[in-house]
Amino acid sequence: FPAPGRCGSLTEAVRSDNAEGDGMANPIHVAIVKQGIDALQDWRQKNPDVVIDLVDGDLHRIDLVDGDFWESEDLGILSPRSADLSYARLSGADLTNGYLSLVNLFAADLRHAKLAWAFLPRADLREACFEGADLTGVDLRNADLTGARLVGAQLAKADLHQANLSKADLRNADLSEVKNLTQRQVDVARTDSSTRLPNGIQRRGTG
C-alpha cells in the first residue's frame, strides 16, 4: 500500500501525474453548476447535446441535492457520456440522493461531501478522496474504488456488492452496517484497528 498522506496532496499528485493538455474545466459550465440544481436542469433542457466539461473544476460546497446525473428520456443533467468530473474539487458538496451511475469521478476531491443515498453503481471512483464524507446508504454496486481514500467516511447501509476496494484506504471508516461486503474485498483494502467492519469480517491486508 502507498504511504498515507493528506487528501489534498494526494489528489494534486494524481492530477499532476495524469495531466494531459491544460485539463481545465469550462468556466461557463462550472458557473452553471454552482447556481444549483434548478439552473443546471434548465441549462440541460436548452443544451441537450452539449458536452459539459467539469474536469478539474472547483465545485466545493455546491448543492445538487436530488440531482439526476444519468442520461434518460427526461434529459438527465449530466449523462455518463457527456460529463467528466475527474479531478473535480467537490469538497463539502451536497449530492444527497444524486443519481450518478457510471459518472467518472476519478481522483475527485470529495472530502466531507454529503452523498447519503446517492446512486453510484459502476462509477469510476479510482483515487477519489472521500475523507470524512457521508456515504450513508450509497449504492456502490460494481463501483471501482481502487486506491480511493475513505478515511473517516460513514458508510452505514451502503451497498458494496462487487465494488473494487483494491488499495482503498478504510482506516477509521464505519462499514459496520454495510451490505454485501465480503472478506475478499477487505483483504485487498487498507484497514487497521480503527476500521469498523460487519460481524464476521476480519481486518486483513493492512500493509
Side-chain angles (χ1 to χ4, degrees), residues 83-97:
D84 187 348
L85 288 92
S86 56
Y87 310 109
R89 282 158 282 180
L90 291 153
S91 58
D94 194 341
L95 299 167
T96 302
N97 292 322

Side-chain angles (χ1 to χ4, degrees), residues 33-47:
V33 172
K34 285 187 173 182
Q35 291 177 42
I37 193 68
D38 292 337
L40 185 52
Q41 288 176 329
D42 181 63
W43 178 88
R44 175 52 78 196
Q45 289 283 347
K46 297 174 181 176
N47 302 275

Side-chain angles (χ1 to χ4, degrees), residues 59-81:
L59 303 169
H60 70 284
R61 297 194 180 281
I62 61 167
D63 184 349
L64 294 176
V65 176
D66 294 320
D68 182 358
F69 292 78
W70 176 251
E71 182 173 32
S72 62
E73 293 181 359
D74 60 349
L75 297 176
I77 57 177
L78 295 175
S79 79
R81 286 185 291 181

Side-chain angles (χ1 to χ4, degrees), residues 131-152:
E131 187 173 298
D134 182 2
L135 299 168
T136 302
V138 67
D139 188 338
L140 291 167
R141 289 173 296 165
N142 297 289
D144 191 350
L145 287 147
T146 300
R149 184 174 172 88
L150 294 105
V151 176

